[in-house]
Amino acid sequence: MNLLQETIDKIIPASSQWRDKAHQRLSNLAIPHWSLGRLMDLAEDLAAMSQTFTPKLEKRVIVTCAGDHGVVEEGVSAFPQDVTPQMVENFVRGGASINALAASASASVVVADFGVAYDLSHLRGKIFDKKVMHGTNNIAKGPAMSREQASKAIEGGIEVALELDADMYGTGEMGIGNTTPSAAICACLTGLEAKDVTGRGTGIDDKALDNKVAVIRRAIDLNQPDCNDGLDVLSKVGGLEIAGIAGVILAAASLRRPVVIDGFISTAAALIAWKIKPECADYMIASHKSVEIGHIKMLELLKKIPLIDLGLRLGEGTGAALAMNIVDASRRVLNDILTFDELAEDVPKDNFNCSSVN
Amino acid sequence: MNLLQETIDKIIPASSQWRDKAHQRLSNLAIPHWSLGRLMDLAEDLAAMSQTFTPKLEKRVIVTCAGDHGVVEEGVSAFPQDVTPQMVENFVRGGASINALAASASASVVVADFGVAYDLSHLRGKIFDKKVMHGTNNIAKGPAMSREQASKAIEGGIEVALELDADMYGTGEMGIGNTTPSAAICACLTGLEAKDVTGRGTGIDDKALDNKVAVIRRAIDLNQPDCNDGLDVLSKVGGLEIAGIAGVILAAASLRRPVVIDGFISTAAALIAWKIKPECADYMIASHKSVEIGHIKMLELLKKIPLIDLGLRLGEGTGAALAMNIVDASRRVLNDILTFDELAEDVPKDNFNCSSVN
């Protein structure tokens, strides 16, 4: 049996029993009922995922998945393709946005190459090398990759996640042109028109946006992806880093660990993972609402409400990193706040800092 | 000259020159233009407040201000008044929500008593004792306190903030009944009807809500606060912990340090501080959008957009604590992300963790 199938087979739904237990505990906290709102909903989710009131969230890793896209030759992006390897180097160097925001969440950043169109052998030992091919084929002219290549890229993502063995994963990506395959996946799986799910990516103008919509429509018409088959959609109109992210998500779910989904591209990958194994959605946490118009449509399909809405449209995993602090806060809501009973019992706690009090 | 006047005199507007410098730097980051959205707006604000690209945010303190309210005898709250001292003890013990969420933001919690209606001398050395009186008078029957008492409570807040000398302040409160004076302040300063700014607080029913609205209307009609005089509004329909928070805000502004405003009650205090010295608003960061209906109206008056909307309605400083991590992220956006020029110069950074890469 292959790694993908093994991983899928290990994924079980989050525990409704632990969800109920958490609900009961949270309802008895010494606060007005449910007055911490969505932090409490998320605390329930964490208990249901981890089957404990004390989920461990110490080792936090943003997995930034990189890949290139043959479709850039259609003029769908504001930036040239060689920005992909430049940004990979910037991630390794620590000067990118994801490095800054991951530090703010006490998370580390790891980069994995699933299909950058450039030789990255000089970064050996500094990034995960899971390259399946040097960029996808142009989806406006044929399938992005074969079904076997799509599986292999997903398995690369699974391998990365298993080797990292993190307590909490965050997804991120780098790949010039990757809002195009993501919008194509979004259109296939939501059933919406390309024009209603396609945004400006890194900042294209009106004319380029019209062209991008036309390219996405052509890619779908030409390749005829089967919207009931996640692997088919991924291989025909997807991307290699999108496959890698789907692998990270499936692996996290198989380990019963939370995986914080970044923005538009990561959510397209999440949809693929969900099509492959619906139960994996139980382990996903939607981090933020992207400016990309198709994003919220995909989140609705996954029945997820994003935690943050700060007008981000950068990717790399930046939204996931920001949201990790909120997940941490929810963990503490589950574990650290006293119930009315505990308050009466005089259980000691040591979070109070009164060193500077007069 | 008294401490309040001295503090007011020290408050200067945030620097438009540093705002412009920050805008220029942020516009040159090696990312699609302004693609980190509101994190970048906030980064500008931080630079303008601190007059540097490297604002220090290490010492983070949530100042949870406590006080009681004579108006509780009108049946405006779902909880009895003795919950105020119980919760103060819970803060000191470390088992409350604010302890949990402050820990998640690497912040400490300090508690200051500005007017709890109970003797808290057994907590000496563990909380700041700035008690002005044992609870306010019932605002439905007369002014909450004298103008002198209001000034003294504000000065108590200033003293606490100056002694703490924090890099970033967060405001919080505890005081059974305190959504009532806060709604009264909100109605006075926004000019809106009491019914349009009054919510359910800790969870009163429809009948109690009608009564609460009537009590607030009566308090305003009876006391006739001068809506152009913050100190008059505060003394007539306000609260002692609200005064303390206003003091913390004024002191933070006088030190040119950011102060993260919690929810409904803290924002009522922020309005008072703003009426006293409008420029202090430059140092305020609105943390979250409370469930209390009047909250967003007050934020509009202050021209602030909250960072978070997670259905919180607890107070204590919980929203401020959550938002501190976002402020930290903005600081890193300002300082840690390379510009296109720096990327070319090969400036080393050390945020990358690649220890677990194959």
Side-chain angles (χ1 to χ4, degrees):
Chain A
M1 197 161 55
N2 63 27
L3 180 61
L4 175 54
Q5 192 57 50
E6 266 176 45
T7 306
I8 291 169
D9 290 346
K10 277 186 193 146
I11 298 172
I12 57 170
S15 164
S16 59
Q17 197 186 343
W18 275 93
R19 178 176 297 281
D20 293 347
K21 284 172 74 167
H23 189 85
Q24 196 170 2
R25 176 177 171 85
L26 292 164
S27 298
N28 286 318
L29 295 185
I31 62 174
H33 184 73
W34 226 259
S35 55
L36 284 169
R38 292 196 55 212
L39 288 183
M40 303 182 84
D41 304 338
L42 184 51
E44 275 186 2
D45 293 342
L46 288 175
M49 290 178 206
S50 62
Q51 303 191 15
T52 168
F53 286 161
T54 55
K56 205 176 139 208
L57 296 181
E58 273 163 50
K59 185 175 180 183
R60 307 167 190 186
V61 185
I62 304 287
V63 186
T64 300
C65 302
D68 275 311
H69 300 270
V71 72
V72 294
E73 70 189 22
E74 304 291 335
V76 292
S77 176
F79 284 85
Q81 193 168 55
D82 60 6
V83 169
T84 303
Q86 284 167 19
M87 286 307 299
V88 166
E89 293 194 22
N90 197 7
F91 300 148
V92 171
R93 185 171 158 189
S97 301
I98 187 54
N99 306 100
L101 296 199
S104 189
S106 306
S108 57
V109 177
V110 300
V111 184
D113 172 16
F114 295 92
V116 176
Y118 299 80
D119 177 34
L120 298 179
S121 57
H122 59 293
L123 297 176
R124 190 165 295 147
K126 294 181 174 174
I127 67 172
F128 281 96
D129 177 12
K130 300 291 175 184
K131 201 192 289 278
V132 171
M133 58 199 287
H134 282 68
T136 53
N137 303 311
N138 181 351
I139 58 174
K141 294 183 177 167
M145 61 192 115
S146 70
R147 192 173 178 94
E148 291 65 36
Q149 287 168 318
S151 284
K152 195 174 169 203
I154 293 177
E155 291 187 334
I158 294 171
E159 287 164 359
V160 169
L162 294 181
E163 184 169 334
L164 288 169
D165 194 23
D167 298 321
M168 170 160 60
Y169 295 89
T171 68
E173 43 53 54
M174 181 66 222
I176 292 300
N178 65 9
T179 58
T180 295
S182 299
I185 290 169
C186 177
C188 289
L189 296 186
T190 62
L192 293 165
E193 291 292 322
K195 69 176 170 43
D196 295 326
V197 298
T198 303
R200 292 178 190 274
T202 48
I204 52 173
D205 63 17
D206 287 350
K207 196 178 153 196
L209 180 60
D210 289 344
N211 173 58
K212 185 174 170 182
V213 170
V215 165
I216 290 167
R217 203 180 297 127
R218 204 182 327 148
I220 294 172
D221 289 348
L222 178 74
N223 291 299
Q224 292 289 320
D226 175 0
C227 67
N228 293 311
D229 179 349
L231 209 49
D232 192 62
V233 174
L234 176 65
S235 60
K236 285 180 174 161
V237 299
L240 294 151
E241 81 280 43
I242 295 172
I245 294 169
V248 170
I249 293 168
L250 290 167
S254 77
L255 296 168
R256 297 195 281 113
R257 313 233 174 109
V259 54
V260 186
I261 310 296
D262 193 34
F264 188 60
I265 294 108
S266 284
T267 307
L271 273 189
I272 296 292
W274 168 74
K275 270 286 167 189
I276 291 173
K277 181 80 173 185
E279 292 82 355
C280 76
D282 287 4
Y283 301 88
M284 296 176 192
I285 296 170
S287 63
H288 83 109
K289 178 172 177 282
S290 167
V291 172
E292 283 286 308
I293 57 170
H295 188 217
I296 199 72
K297 309 290 185 187
M298 295 196 282
L299 290 173
E300 284 167 10
L301 208 58
L302 291 167
K303 298 192 172 61
K304 300 286 175 188
I305 304 169
L307 293 167
I308 293 171
D309 182 5
L310 291 173
L312 308 185
R313 54 181 180 82
L314 176 62
E316 298 182 7
T318 48
L322 261 188
M324 279 186 170
N325 282 317
I326 296 177
V327 182
D328 181 72
S330 281
R331 172 185 73 79
R332 291 174 193 265
V333 168
L334 183 64
N335 188 45
D336 293 356
I337 303 175
L338 296 182
T339 62
F340 282 111
D341 288 349
E342 289 166 349
L343 205 53
E345 279 165 19
D346 208 28
V347 180
K349 288 272 172 179
D350 57 2
N351 295 336
F352 186 74
N353 177 335
C354 54
S355 56
S356 41
V357 170
N358 60 347
Chain B
M1 196 161 57
N2 63 29
L3 179 61
L4 175 54
Q5 192 57 51
E6 267 176 46
T7 305
I8 291 170
D9 290 347
K10 278 186 194 145
I11 298 172
I12 56 170
S15 163
S16 59
Q17 197 185 343
W18 274 94
R19 178 176 298 282
D20 293 346
K21 283 172 74 168
H23 189 84
Q24 196 169 2
R25 176 178 170 84
L26 292 163
S27 298
N28 286 318
L29 295 184
I31 62 174
H33 184 72
W34 225 257
S35 55
L36 284 169
R38 292 197 54 213
L39 289 183
M40 304 182 83
D41 304 338
L42 184 51
E44 273 187 2
D45 293 342
L46 288 175
M49 290 179 207
S50 62
Q51 304 191 14
T52 169
F53 286 162
T54 55
K56 206 175 137 207
L57 296 181
E58 273 164 49
K59 185 173 180 185
R60 307 168 190 184
V61 184
I62 304 287
V63 186
T64 300
C65 301
D68 275 311
H69 300 269
V71 72
V72 294
E73 69 188 23
E74 304 291 336
V76 292
S77 177
F79 285 84
Q81 193 168 54
D82 60 5
V83 169
T84 303
Q86 284 167 20
M87 286 307 299
V88 167
E89 293 195 22
N90 197 6
F91 300 149
V92 171
R93 185 172 158 188
S97 302
I98 187 54
N99 306 99
L101 297 199
S104 190
S106 306
S108 58
V109 178
V110 300
V111 185
D113 172 17
F114 295 92
V116 176
Y118 299 80
D119 176 34
L120 297 180
S121 56
H122 59 292
L123 297 176
R124 190 165 294 146
K126 295 181 173 174
I127 67 172
F128 281 97
D129 177 12
K130 300 291 175 185
K131 202 193 289 279
V132 171
M133 56 198 288
H134 281 69
T136 53
N137 303 310
N138 181 352
I139 59 174
K141 295 182 175 167
M145 61 192 114
S146 69
R147 191 173 179 94
E148 290 65 37
Q149 286 169 320
S151 284
K152 195 175 168 201
I154 293 177
E155 291 187 334
I158 294 171
E159 286 163 0
V160 169
L162 294 180
E163 185 170 333
L164 288 169
D165 195 22
D167 299 321
M168 170 160 60
Y169 295 89
T171 69
E173 43 54 55
M174 181 67 221
I176 292 300
N178 66 8
T179 58
T180 294
S182 299
I185 290 169
C186 177
C188 290
L189 296 186
T190 63
L192 293 166
E193 291 292 322
K195 70 175 170 42
D196 295 326
V197 298
T198 303
R200 292 176 190 276
T202 50
I204 53 174
D205 63 17
D206 287 350
K207 197 179 152 196
L209 180 60
D210 288 345
N211 173 59
K212 184 175 171 184
V213 170
V215 165
I216 290 167
R217 205 179 294 127
R218 204 182 327 147
I220 295 172
D221 290 347
L222 178 73
N223 291 298
Q224 293 288 319
D226 174 1
C227 67
N228 292 311
D229 179 348
L231 209 51
D232 193 63
V233 174
L234 176 65
S235 59
K236 285 179 173 163
V237 299
L240 293 151
E241 81 281 43
I242 295 172
I245 295 169
V248 170
I249 292 168
L250 290 167
S254 77
L255 296 167
R256 298 196 279 113
R257 312 230 175 111
V259 53
V260 187
I261 310 295
D262 192 34
F264 188 60
I265 295 106
S266 284
T267 307
L271 273 190
I272 296 293
W274 167 74
K275 270 287 167 188
I276 292 173
K277 181 80 173 184
E279 293 81 356
C280 76
D282 287 4
Y283 301 87
M284 296 177 191
I285 296 170
S287 64
H288 82 110
K289 178 172 176 283
S290 167
V291 171
E292 283 286 308
I293 56 170
H295 188 217
I296 200 73
K297 309 290 185 187
M298 295 196 282
L299 289 173
E300 284 167 10
L301 208 56
L302 290 167
K303 297 192 172 62
K304 300 286 177 188
I305 304 168
L307 293 167
I308 292 172
D309 182 5
L310 291 172
L312 308 185
R313 54 182 180 83
L314 176 62
E316 297 181 8
T318 47
L322 261 187
M324 278 185 169
N325 282 317
I326 296 178
V327 182
D328 181 72
S330 281
R331 173 185 71 80
R332 291 174 193 265
V333 168
L334 183 63
N335 188 45
D336 293 357
I337 303 175
L338 296 182
T339 62
F340 282 111
D341 287 349
E342 288 166 349
L343 204 55
E345 279 165 18
D346 207 28
V347 181
K349 287 272 171 178
D350 57 2
N351 295 335
F352 185 74
N353 177 334
C354 54
S355 57
S356 41
V357 169
N358 60 344

